[in-house]
Every structure is written in C-alpha cells, then in structure tokens.
Amino acid sequence: MNFISIQNIDSLDKWVKQALKIKKNPLKNKKLGKNKTLGMLFFNSSLRTRLSTQKAALNLGMNVIVMNFNSEGWTLEFEDGAIMNQGASEHIKEAAAVVSQYCDIIAIRAFAELIDKEKDNAETVISGFLKYATVPIVNMESATGHPMQSLADAITIEEHKTPHRAKVVLTWAPHPRALPQAVPNSFVEMMQKQPTMDFVITHPEGYELNPEITKDSKIEYDQNKAFENADFIYAKNWSNYKEYGKITNSDPNWTVTADKMKLTNNAKFMHCLPVRRNMIVSDEVIDSENSVVIEQANNRTYSAQLVLQKILENRK
C-alpha cells in the first residue's frame, strides 16, 4: 500500500473519523510500529511536515531515519539509460533499492521545480521511488500534490463543521515567490470528495489550476462574490499554471483582510503555513479567534499517523 494522492483514500468520511479517534488516543497503537523504521527523505525544506510525520511515527512506536538530500545525500539521476558524466552521482535504481533495505516505509518530500511542466507533472522523484523501491512509499508533498495536508484540512473542517450545508472557498492570494500548485491541487481533490458541501475556487483570471484536477469545480473570478456567506476561507498562493511557474499577478487586492472576512458567514480562516503575513492574509485575520491555522498544523500529526497506521496494518 502506497499513499501518493488523495485519490488513494477510498472513503474520506471514514478516514476523517478514524483520524479523529487517533487524535483522542494517539498512543493506542504504540506497539504497531515496534521494530519498524520510517525513512523520511527531504529534497526541500520542511517544518510541519517533518515534525508532524516524525511524531506520528513515534506515536506508533516506529524508529525514524531522516535525510536531507539537498545537503547530505548524493545528487540523484532519475533518467533511465542516462550517461552519468554530469552532476548526478547516484542513480535512483540503486538509491531506492538501498534505502528499501534500511526502512519499512519511505516517506518523500520533493517540490516542483516550476521550470518544465511536463517534468513536474511526471512526478520524477516520487515516480522513481515508486518504480525502484521495494517498500511502501508515502507522499509528504510532491511536485503536484500534498495529500497529507489536504487530509489534515478535511479533519479540521470536520471539527468545525456547520449545522447547515457548508460553503468552502479556496482563494488565491499574492506572494513574492513562485509557488507550486501542490497544496491547492490536493485541496481541490479533497473537496471533490465532499458532496455535502459547496465548494468555490477564486483567483484572478489566467491563474486557473490544472483543468484535469479542477474538472467541474466552480470557479469565481470575483473574490468578494466568492466570499459571500462562506463558512471556510482557505487562502493559498500558487504560480501561474498556463505560463508555467511564473508570477503574472501580484495584486494586493487579493490579500485576505478583515473587511473581506465580513462578507462571509463568520468563516474560519485556513492556511497550510508558512504564511506571508500582510501579503497572503492580514494580521487581524490570522490572529483572530476564527483563525484555525494552528489547529490545522496540529492535525498534520493525525493525518500522517492514520496513513502510517494503515500501511503498517496492511503489511502485517
């Protein structure tokens, strides 16, 4: 069993309920991971993903090995048949096979390069490990998806669910750097598994995400209109998908402010963190009692723990 995409979840409702049970008693299955090792491989920086996943593994009694490939590992070659006379020192064939001997589960985090759309969509790093590793692979964020984040988001929304049919809005916001589409992609896929909620994506025209992911999700180019009567506002920047990896809009009017939140139904504010204050969201909003960003970060532990638990149970 691998966990690569939100599509690997057969029933989101059941998974969320299971995660909430884990949250109430996180050490219940402390013996499940005894004498098992989680290898965590990072090809880019991390705070919440690294710490929450490591804590989740420890809650299950697992040993944890962490390696940062940017500063500690050999540069890997992923192309089959490559003549390795340039920068890469080791091929994924050997690397994945070797790590598989040391670990029972391999968790990987690798950002999009935002240069070559086809290469990023091919998920070079994750795909390489899936092809050549001999143990289960977990996606801690890849070029196009961040499923454990979106599972934590689903847990958070469930904890704050409304008695009426909830309206959830994913809003683009400005950022000084070009960011991947991974988080919004997985959030969209997660919301598509929530038929009991209304979901709207709002962003400037030209900033559409991959249409193969958004499918028939509602898109509203007027942010104020999208915010009307919303119960949850999820803010996130992403770089241009059509003009791939570029920043073609930095309009500060898309920043989530207190005035915009007044248009909502006293909505909860969500963000995956880290967040650029007073660019993505104003201090007044993120510091308000309706901000659940810290709770979201906490729920990363239980989304990761559920994924690891399911894999361990499957390998018994």
Side-chain angles (χ1 to χ4, degrees):
M1 175 185 172
N2 301 303
F3 185 73
I4 306 302
S5 162
I6 202 74
Q7 304 303 346
N8 295 138
I9 296 176
D10 52 0
S11 170
L12 182 62
D13 182 61
K14 288 181 180 179
W15 279 50
V16 168
K17 285 181 170 59
Q18 289 171 339
L20 289 171
K21 285 185 179 179
I22 289 171
K23 187 173 183 177
K24 290 179 180 178
N25 188 2
L27 301 179
K28 181 180 179 180
N29 292 301
K30 182 77 172 179
K31 295 181 179 179
L32 184 62
K34 184 179 180 181
N35 299 326
K36 302 293 183 182
T37 299
L38 171 67
M40 298 170 62
L41 309 182
F42 291 89
F43 291 82
N44 55 275
S45 302
S46 175
L47 190 158
R48 278 149 294 277
T49 296
R50 173 171 175 169
L51 297 182
S52 63
T53 307
Q54 187 165 353
K55 181 178 180 181
L58 295 173
N59 284 348
L60 290 167
M62 299 185 75
N63 300 310
V64 181
I65 298 173
V66 180
M67 186 168 187
N68 294 294
F69 265 82
N70 286 350
S71 58
E72 299 171 335
W74 300 112
T75 302
L76 296 185
E77 174 62 61
F78 291 90
E79 184 179 341
D80 288 340
I83 298 173
M84 293 174 59
N85 59 359
Q86 298 298 318
S89 304
E90 182 163 13
H91 201 280
I92 183 62
K93 287 185 178 182
E94 290 77 49
V98 168
V99 176
S100 296
Q101 294 178 116
Y102 305 150
C103 305
D104 298 280
I105 301 172
I106 300 174
I108 300 165
R109 179 176 169 98
F111 270 5
E113 294 181 355
L114 295 176
I115 298 171
D116 185 330
K117 183 191 293 187
E118 290 185 4
K119 183 179 178 181
D120 284 343
N121 284 342
E123 293 286 9
T124 303
V125 178
I126 289 281
S127 295
F129 278 93
L130 282 170
K131 186 174 182 180
Y132 295 113
T134 57
V135 297
I137 301 298
V138 172
N139 181 356
M140 295 192 296
E141 185 170 9
S142 65
T144 65
H146 199 345
M148 286 207 293
Q149 175 64 56
S150 60
L151 178 55
D153 298 336
I155 296 166
T156 307
I157 290 172
E158 174 64 21
E159 289 181 309
H160 294 277
K161 65 181 179 182
T162 61
H164 57 270
R165 184 180 178 89
K167 179 181 178 182
V168 181
V169 177
L170 171 64
T171 180
W172 179 91
H175 197 283
R177 295 177 55 214
L179 297 185
Q181 294 92 29
V183 170
N185 282 347
S186 287
F187 188 77
V188 169
E189 291 178 322
M190 181 272 289
M191 287 306 306
Q192 288 169 346
K193 290 178 175 288
Q194 303 269 30
T196 60
M197 298 181 189
D198 293 328
F199 178 53
V200 180
I201 307 169
T202 184
H203 55 71
E205 290 192 57
Y207 260 77
E208 289 78 9
L209 293 162
N210 184 347
E212 293 182 8
I213 291 175
T214 55
K215 297 177 182 177
D216 59 353
S217 294
K218 183 178 179 180
I219 297 174
E220 173 57 65
Y221 298 120
D222 184 333
Q223 189 188 42
N224 287 344
K225 185 175 180 181
F227 274 41
E228 290 176 1
N229 299 314
D231 298 289
F232 297 90
I233 299 294
Y234 196 118
K236 185 71 181 78
N237 173 268
W238 58 87
S239 58
N240 199 304
Y241 183 74
K242 292 181 179 179
E243 297 183 51
Y244 193 65
K246 295 183 179 179
I247 299 174
T248 57
N249 192 320
S250 300
D251 187 355
N253 290 318
W254 280 81
T255 298
V256 179
T257 63
D259 284 341
K260 290 181 181 178
M261 292 297 285
K262 290 177 182 177
L263 299 170
T264 73
N265 184 29
N266 198 32
K268 301 297 183 184
F269 175 79
M270 303 178 69
H271 190 281
C272 61
L273 302 181
V275 66
R276 299 271 183 150
R277 283 172 172 260
N278 302 308
M279 188 156 197
I280 294 284
V281 57
S282 69
D283 285 339
E284 191 175 1
V285 173
I286 196 170
D287 292 331
S288 74
E289 61 180 13
N290 277 20
S291 173
V292 295
V293 298
I294 304 303
E295 294 176 53
Q296 274 179 273
N298 185 40
N299 283 334
R300 288 296 309 278
T301 296
Y302 310 110
S303 66
Q305 190 166 334
L306 176 61
V307 169
L308 295 175
Q309 180 175 310
K310 284 182 173 290
I311 294 173
L312 290 170
E313 290 172 343
N314 189 64
R315 286 173 64 81
K316 274 187 174 182

